[in-house]
Amino acid sequence: MNRQDIDELTEVFIEESEEIVESLNKDVLSLEQYVDQPETMDRELINNIFRYVHTLKGNSGLAGADKLRDLAHKMESLLDRLRKDKLVITGDMVDLLFEGIDRFNDILKE
């Protein structure tokens, strides 16, 4: 694989990751409404958020983006506990997810 191929693959990885992060941000905004009534949380919404983060983790691993992969892994663990009802959604958790999204964006800009 030559340098141009690698540059094109990196560009595709970044573009796809930015799209995933944008969708993730929208869904976390929607998730925020369940903080006051966690028992009414939309299960499909949390599953979508988990899938976005899981996809970022996998793609990052393939692309060698270790910082992004490691962060996605940590967020995925938190989201998995939420999906399995081991945690209840809180304002602090939503804030933490938004901080993760901000960090994803920072890493992608690097």
Side-chain angles (χ1 to χ4, degrees):
M1 192 174 284
N2 65 37
R3 177 80 174 147
Q4 183 178 350
D5 291 338
I6 292 170
D7 289 345
E8 287 175 18
L9 288 173
T10 300
E11 189 175 313
V12 168
F13 164 73
I14 291 171
E15 286 174 11
E16 287 181 0
S17 296
E18 287 173 341
E19 289 173 12
I20 292 169
V21 171
E22 184 178 321
S23 296
L24 175 63
N25 190 61
K26 287 178 185 173
D27 279 1
V28 172
L29 275 171
S30 296
L31 183 68
E32 197 168 25
Q33 69 183 322
Y34 298 104
V35 169
D36 293 330
Q37 296 178 319
E39 67 281 354
T40 65
M41 186 176 64
D42 180 350
R43 307 308 291 170
E44 192 57 33
L45 179 62
I46 194 65
N47 287 331
N48 285 343
I49 292 169
F50 178 86
R51 279 191 294 273
Y52 290 136
V53 174
H54 181 75
T55 300
L56 273 175
K57 182 183 83 169
N59 290 353
S60 299
L62 290 172
D66 295 342
K67 284 194 245 181
L68 194 63
R69 181 204 62 215
D70 293 347
L71 175 58
H73 179 72
K74 290 174 184 171
M75 287 179 69
E76 183 186 54
S77 295
L78 174 71
L79 291 163
D80 194 44
R81 293 181 70 202
L82 185 60
R83 285 188 333 152
K84 293 178 178 174
D85 294 322
K86 294 180 180 180
L87 291 175
V88 175
I89 190 71
T90 65
D92 288 341
M93 187 182 300
V94 171
D95 290 345
L96 190 61
L97 292 171
F98 281 126
E99 285 177 32
I101 290 167
D102 289 344
R103 185 69 185 123
F104 283 148
N105 284 319
D106 292 343
I107 292 168
L108 288 168
K109 287 176 186 170
E110 288 176 16

